[in-house]
Amino acid sequence: MAAASKAYEENGQVEKKAISDDAQSYAEGEMLIKPRFNFWTLLGYQLMVMASWSNYLITVGVSVDVGGPVGFLYGTLVVGFFQQVTVIALAELASSWPHPGGPMVWMIKLAPERYGPMLAYSMGWINVLAYASPFASAGFSSTQVLSALITHIHGYEWSSWQICLVYWGFAVACVPITFRPSWMPWWSTAALVCLLSTFIVTIGLWSSHIQPQTASFVFTTFINNTGWRSNGFVFVLSMVQTTYAMSGLEAATHMAFETKNPRRTIPLVLVSSVAISIVICFSFAILLLYALGPMDQLVNSSLGAIYLQLYVNAAGETGGLAFATFVMLSLNLFCGTQLLAAGARVVWTLARMGMVPYSRSFRRVDAKSGSPTNATILMLILSMLFGLLYIASETAWNAIASCVVAAFQLAYMAPMIALVLRGRSVLPPRYFNLDKVPFAGYAVYIIAIGWGSLIFTVSMFPVYLPVDAFNMNYCVVVFGVCGLVLLPYWLLSARYKVNRETVESDLMNILH
């Protein structure tokens, strides 16, 4: 007993020293990052990251050319099915190894030991890109609608650098909540209320003053204004836009340290959120197609976005723009905050594993708030740098936006492929277990990998032909530039600093 007591005191001293020195121990995360989310608050968080119906407001501008109503409506069902299969696979991985690092930690556990750190490094930074891109997209969506309102009222013409400044203002506005993790559960509840209430009000507003399209147009019309000859390929191409509206499937995983009973709560949230999003998106897709009204009015709209014209059609120019501004600013603020928080946890995990320059600083957790403050700031800076691309050209900005779907799908596929190659026997005991249904395990992963490969590949294609500098898909270029930046750092520094023991310690403590 005396020896045990002495050992306990020594361990306590080691833990205190680890915290004061910002050491890479689970004790730091356990004591400073506390479980705060339950099922309902985490569900609100996850649904807001996906943003479901509100993303359709943004993507409909492309969908009216790429597939039209058939691609938009039936694509929702096809994408919904395969994203549901994908999230079931992700739910099992999250139940096996719940960790804020998400896919990068799963790669550490599933890839061969020789290649695990390098693959985890790659997946970690791809995951950062996957969250930084939609965060920037949400910011520019808010900037677009705000600038349209001001232009309408004052006739003011915006320059590219002013658009960038407004975007930066939006980005900074998302920070305060992320610095106070104790506020995030109620913030997620408020986000869910906002998401549903604006959805209901939009339905009522559009239905009150509508020049509806015919049922034949909504359910049977296929539109191909892309320049691609194959309508079948165009239908597949249209699904990339729909997948964008159902991205961020694993976001709740990055709150693993902040969730009560994460092995059970997180997989239930992941599966439930996609099922709810499918219902909301499909019902909204029908309303949206009926509400389109005369197509020439939308195509020739001076507002720059179809959804702005739809609000104007329903409530008049001033009232419609004002309400659209309120809807997009509020939803994007909620969504942007959640995206920033998720990305910050990935950066924090990368730093804890020694895969970020100045890792010692970025792995720190604020003792008072329990927030990975420095990691959040780094994530914010990376996202704000995207604004500079808009100053360079709108085409350069579109290159970043086009990477959202590809980055997420790649982050999802990599650990699934590793698991299929290693065999399911490597999985530990877990709450969410696909082996309870015969043959379900491999079937789900193979379908999810096939779907992810298809969408990843198609997302690299340009939407319109002939291709020029403006409509070119620069997704490959973005991944190439990221590789040129990240590979030298891995070869020269990161691979010598990898601390995979941090992950093992985290998992040992959270699982036991």
Side-chain angles (χ1 to χ4, degrees):
M1 289 294 293
S5 176
K6 182 178 180 182
Y8 179 81
E9 292 177 359
E10 290 176 350
N11 287 338
Q13 293 174 356
V14 169
E15 289 181 357
K16 292 179 181 178
K17 186 177 185 301
I19 295 172
S20 63
D21 294 340
D22 297 307
Q24 299 176 7
S25 65
Y26 176 80
E28 180 182 22
E30 182 181 41
M31 295 178 69
L32 299 181
I33 299 182
K34 300 178 180 179
R36 300 180 176 94
F37 286 95
N38 57 30
F39 172 82
W40 294 108
T41 54
L42 192 64
L43 179 63
Y45 172 88
Q46 177 66 37
L47 285 172
M48 195 65 252
V49 168
M50 296 175 68
S52 61
W53 73 271
S54 63
N55 278 330
Y56 272 16
L57 295 175
I58 300 172
T59 60
V60 70
V62 176
S63 296
V64 295
D65 282 337
V66 187
V70 167
F72 193 62
L73 188 62
Y74 300 111
T76 298
L77 297 178
V78 175
V79 170
F81 171 78
F82 285 108
Q83 291 293 80
Q84 186 72 72
V85 173
T86 301
V87 85
I88 288 173
L90 295 175
E92 185 177 50
L93 293 173
S95 185
S96 301
W97 299 294
H99 195 283
M104 67 173 292
V105 169
W106 302 336
M107 289 304 300
I108 282 285
K109 300 299 294 183
L110 292 170
E113 185 172 350
R114 180 180 179 182
Y115 302 107
M118 180 184 67
L119 291 173
Y121 173 80
S122 302
M123 288 306 102
W125 282 109
I126 287 174
N127 216 193
V128 170
L129 174 64
Y131 281 102
S133 300
F135 177 82
S137 180
F140 275 103
S141 173
S142 296
T143 302
Q144 180 188 46
V145 68
L146 184 62
S147 61
L149 177 64
I150 295 176
T151 298
H152 167 70
I153 296 175
H154 299 289
Y156 185 79
E157 295 297 329
W158 295 76
S159 62
S160 58
W161 67 267
Q162 289 172 320
I163 294 290
C164 178
L165 289 178
V166 175
Y167 162 65
W168 282 352
F170 168 86
V172 172
C174 294
V175 171
I177 295 296
T178 61
F179 279 179
R180 292 290 179 181
S182 60
W183 296 353
M184 290 192 68
W186 69 259
W187 181 258
S188 298
T189 303
L192 182 58
V193 171
C194 181
L195 184 70
L196 296 178
S197 61
T198 51
F199 175 66
I200 294 171
V201 173
T202 295
I203 291 175
L205 184 63
W206 287 3
S207 300
S208 65
H209 186 83
I210 189 173
Q211 304 175 41
Q213 290 283 0
T214 64
S216 175
F217 173 83
V218 171
F219 293 100
T220 64
T221 302
F222 187 88
I223 299 174
N224 179 5
N225 293 328
T226 64
W228 292 96
R229 294 183 179 180
S230 172
N231 286 343
F233 177 76
V234 171
F235 179 78
V236 176
L237 193 63
S238 72
M239 292 193 293
V240 175
Q241 302 299 320
T242 309
T243 305
Y244 173 88
M246 295 186 189
S247 295
L249 302 181
E250 92 307 352
T253 298
H254 303 298
M255 296 294 152
F257 284 1
E258 295 155 82
T259 301
K260 301 171 184 177
N261 193 7
R263 301 184 72 187
R264 179 181 183 274
T265 303
I266 291 177
L268 291 178
V269 165
L270 296 182
V271 175
S272 300
S273 63
V274 176
I276 293 171
S277 292
I278 293 172
V279 174
I280 293 176
C281 284
F282 184 70
S283 59
F284 186 68
I286 295 175
L287 170 70
L288 187 56
L289 291 172
Y290 269 111
L292 287 177
M295 291 296 292
D296 58 341
Q297 185 184 59
L298 296 176
V299 173
N300 298 321
S301 173
S302 61
L303 297 175
I306 285 179
Y307 72 90
L308 293 180
Q309 187 63 53
L310 293 176
Y311 279 107
V312 167
N313 291 345
E317 194 158 18
T318 301
L321 282 176
F323 186 73
T325 302
F326 168 77
V327 170
M328 296 309 293
L329 287 181
S330 57
L331 290 178
N332 285 333
L333 182 61
F334 281 118
C335 183
T337 301
Q338 316 292 44
L339 289 167
L340 182 62
R345 269 87 182 148
V346 180
V347 172
W348 180 65
T349 303
L350 282 165
R352 283 165 59 79
M353 294 183 64
M355 295 180 176
V356 176
Y358 306 103
S359 292
R360 186 177 179 84
S361 296
F362 293 115
R363 67 175 178 247
R364 290 177 181 172
V365 177
D366 184 76
K368 293 183 179 180
S369 65
S371 168
T373 304
N374 292 346
T376 303
I377 293 174
L378 178 58
M379 183 67 185
L380 175 68
I381 292 173
L382 292 175
S383 300
M384 291 176 69
L385 288 176
F386 288 166
L388 298 177
L389 292 176
Y390 193 89
I391 296 178
S393 74
E394 187 174 347
T395 301
W397 155 246
N398 289 336
I400 295 296
S402 67
C403 289
V404 175
V405 172
F408 272 122
Q409 293 300 324
L410 187 57
Y412 300 156
M413 282 193 298
M416 293 182 196
I417 294 172
L419 177 59
V420 170
L421 294 177
R422 284 284 301 274
R424 294 184 56 78
S425 60
V426 72
L427 292 172
R430 54 207 177 274
Y431 170 80
F432 195 87
N433 187 353
L434 293 178
D435 291 331
K436 293 179 180 179
V437 179
F439 309 110
Y442 283 111
V444 166
Y445 281 81
I446 291 173
I447 292 173
I449 291 170
W451 165 251
S453 301
L454 173 65
I455 291 299
F456 177 81
T457 302
V458 175
S459 67
M460 300 290 174
F461 283 78
V463 175
Y464 296 99
L465 296 179
V467 178
D468 55 32
F470 181 79
N471 63 25
M472 176 62 185
N473 189 328
Y474 290 91
C475 195
V476 174
V477 177
V478 173
F479 277 100
V481 171
C482 290
L484 290 176
V485 173
L486 296 175
L487 183 59
Y489 179 70
W490 169 259
L491 295 175
L492 298 175
S493 180
R495 65 174 177 161
Y496 301 111
K497 301 177 182 178
V498 172
N499 187 346
R500 61 186 300 165
E501 287 76 15
T502 298
V503 170
E504 300 297 339
S505 176
D506 289 345
L507 292 172
M508 184 178 298
N509 283 275
I510 202 171
L511 296 179
H512 302 287

